[in-house]
Amino acid sequence: MSSYAIYGSGVAYVFGLLVQFPKYQKKKRRASSTMDTPTQSLVSKDESPSKKNSKRPKYSKFSQQELPAWKPILTPGWVIFTFTVIGIVFIPIGLASLYSSENVEEETIRYDEFCLPPSHVHNALEFIKSASTNKTCSKTWNVKRKMQAPIFIYYQLDNYYQNHRRYVKSRSDKQLWSKSAEGETKSCAPEENTKDKEPIVPCGLIAWSLFNDTYKFSMKDKDLAVNKKDIAWRSDKKSKFGSDVYPKNFQGGDNIGGGKLNESIPLSEQEDLIVWMRTAALPTFRKLYGKIETDLEANDEIKIVIENNYNTYEFGGTKTLVVSTTTWIGGKNPFLGMAYLFIGGLSLALAVGFILLYVIKPRPLGDPSYLSWNRNPGIYIR
């Protein structure tokens, strides 16, 4: 036999062993799995290691989502009934809301333009920034309809973005609440410290830009008292502004932004500041200034003296004085009533539409002939 033949037979033999080796290993595993080891013999069939080590949760109807459930079937009757009920409920609510809103007496007086003297009509910035100019102006207001107390006084600002990110972040809530944290001014830039590195209390751009226009009302040469208590949220007074925190170094620099604060009164009692510090979400907003707690009769002549101090001319903003009563729904706002009427009317229209559709062209429930593959069987390949 030649050496090549011997070599070839040897290679074939080794190859055959390699092919048969995995099969032998599988048989060996099967045999070993059927044999009981000493450990397995001590464990009962119900407590096998595989069951003990299993991560399968304990069976319950809740975990397997087998709890009883109720799923409504939207029959035409139920749909028509639901839309009808929504319409019947929403339309009266909308009418009541609109009626209540129409009963609110409201007077708006924009004064940023007429409070400018003729000599500064075209140079409003020079007028508002000058400390020597007289910023007092007056307006006569005739009451159109009776206004019952309390009569709320608001100031409205337009084109004023209190929601600007840098403006909103420029405050220190810790400083406003605790006297021991008056040095917490890192978040108040650029109005955090004086030139001598003393902390400003309250610090930040929001407090620095405090609204400082004033309004005085009189009738028949008698002043109408404006109550400025309880105009802020009670939660703000109790949980955001400390009773032991007093203004310090406020508006003491060269760059004065808005109003000043009485340093002998704690922040928790300075409600003008508390109202201003609750920033608005939109560029046009109103904030409560005070309340007149006497009734005003129709045709009463009210003289309003306005101190026009706040600078809105630099950024094109406007200022408006708002005098308003309230009802159970709040101030004058017809949107809510109109929204209820729209949804109620739409629901009734849909209910009528479904009724007509159900009467004119009824359809048996659960009819399989309306399925797309039964109506057009030719479009599917079988």
Side-chain angles (χ1 to χ4, degrees):
M1 185 180 293
S2 65
S3 60
Y4 290 104
I6 295 170
Y7 179 77
S9 61
V11 171
Y13 178 76
V14 173
F15 182 78
L17 289 176
L18 292 175
V19 171
Q20 294 296 327
F21 184 76
K23 296 180 180 180
Y24 172 74
Q25 289 292 97
K26 288 181 180 178
K27 290 179 180 179
K28 189 176 179 180
R29 289 195 198 100
R30 289 173 189 166
S32 63
S33 63
T34 57
M35 294 174 64
D36 288 338
T37 62
T39 308
Q40 289 175 334
S41 62
L42 296 175
V43 180
S44 64
K45 292 183 179 180
D46 295 334
E47 296 180 353
S48 61
S50 61
K51 288 188 177 181
K52 276 192 171 183
N53 297 328
S54 175
K55 294 183 179 179
R56 183 168 55 183
K58 186 179 179 180
Y59 172 79
S60 68
K61 289 186 177 182
F62 177 78
S63 62
Q64 297 303 318
Q65 299 184 11
E66 295 178 358
L67 292 173
W70 177 76
K71 184 177 181 180
I73 298 175
L74 297 178
T75 62
W78 273 109
V79 173
I80 293 170
F81 174 77
T82 302
F83 279 121
T84 304
V85 169
I86 292 174
I88 292 173
V89 171
F90 275 43
I91 288 177
I93 294 176
L95 292 174
S97 300
L98 274 179
Y99 178 77
S100 178
S101 177
E102 289 299 321
N103 285 336
V104 173
E105 296 299 323
E106 181 179 285
E107 184 71 23
T108 58
I109 302 169
R110 179 179 171 180
Y111 63 90
D112 58 286
E113 291 182 338
F114 78 78
C115 277
L116 287 174
S119 58
H120 290 86
V121 171
H122 301 291
N123 196 355
L125 281 178
E126 181 183 349
F127 165 78
I128 202 69
K129 289 183 176 181
S130 175
S132 59
T133 55
N134 182 17
K135 297 180 175 61
T136 303
C137 61
S138 61
K139 173 77 174 179
T140 301
W141 165 46
N142 292 315
V143 181
K144 297 178 182 178
R145 294 166 60 183
K146 181 179 179 180
M147 303 180 74
Q148 292 183 343
I151 302 168
F152 295 91
I153 303 167
Y154 303 89
Y155 56 88
Q156 176 178 310
L157 300 179
D158 297 271
N159 199 34
Y160 196 117
Y161 290 85
Q162 271 198 320
N163 60 348
H164 192 281
R165 183 179 62 87
R166 291 186 63 188
Y167 184 88
V168 171
K169 291 175 65 177
S170 184
R171 61 184 292 164
S172 175
D173 291 323
K174 291 182 179 179
Q175 186 199 65
L176 295 172
W177 174 246
S178 175
K179 183 179 181 180
S180 60
E182 70 173 23
E184 296 283 342
T185 61
K186 291 181 180 179
S187 59
C188 293
E191 294 295 325
E192 69 273 28
N193 297 315
T194 63
K195 293 180 179 179
D196 300 328
K197 303 300 180 182
E198 291 291 325
I200 299 173
V201 182
C203 66
L205 286 174
I206 304 176
W208 173 79
S209 59
L210 175 64
F211 186 80
N212 62 339
D213 283 4
T214 60
Y215 313 112
K216 293 181 180 180
F217 298 82
S218 61
M219 181 177 62
K220 298 177 181 179
D221 297 329
K222 292 182 179 181
D223 291 339
L224 292 174
V226 178
N227 184 9
K228 304 193 74 173
K229 292 185 177 181
D230 298 326
I231 62 173
W233 289 21
R234 189 177 302 174
S235 59
D236 287 354
K237 292 193 291 183
K238 288 186 175 181
S239 60
K240 290 188 177 181
F241 294 82
S243 58
D244 61 341
V245 182
Y246 291 83
K248 182 180 178 182
N249 301 319
F250 186 72
Q251 304 286 23
D254 298 332
N255 190 18
I256 297 176
K260 297 185 177 182
L261 298 174
N262 191 336
E263 295 189 356
S264 62
I265 301 176
L267 296 185
S268 61
E269 297 180 15
Q270 307 224 25
E271 298 197 40
D272 284 335
L273 173 70
I274 298 173
V275 170
W276 180 255
M277 293 291 286
R278 179 167 284 276
T279 54
L282 300 175
T284 298
F285 58 87
R286 294 179 180 180
K287 292 185 182 290
L288 187 58
Y289 178 84
K291 295 176 287 185
I292 297 176
E293 296 181 333
T294 56
D295 294 344
L296 298 180
E297 301 295 333
N299 300 319
D300 279 348
E301 190 173 277
I302 309 298
K303 183 180 180 181
I304 307 172
V305 178
I306 302 171
E307 195 74 27
N308 182 24
N309 298 313
Y310 201 68
N311 183 8
T312 58
Y313 305 100
E314 196 160 3
F315 55 87
T318 64
K319 297 185 287 187
T320 304
L321 171 65
V322 181
V323 184
S324 174
T325 60
T326 58
T327 58
W328 63 271
I329 201 172
K332 197 175 190 68
N333 184 12
F335 173 79
L336 185 62
M338 294 173 65
Y340 270 105
L341 285 177
F342 175 77
I343 298 298
L346 181 63
S347 298
L348 283 182
L350 289 173
V352 172
F354 281 124
I355 291 173
L356 295 176
L357 186 65
Y358 186 63
V359 171
I360 296 173
K361 194 177 180 181
R363 168 185 168 180
L365 292 179
D367 189 351
S369 64
Y370 285 91
L371 296 174
S372 59
W373 52 82
N374 288 333
R375 284 184 289 147
N376 300 306
I379 64 173
Y380 295 96
I381 299 175
R382 294 183 180 179

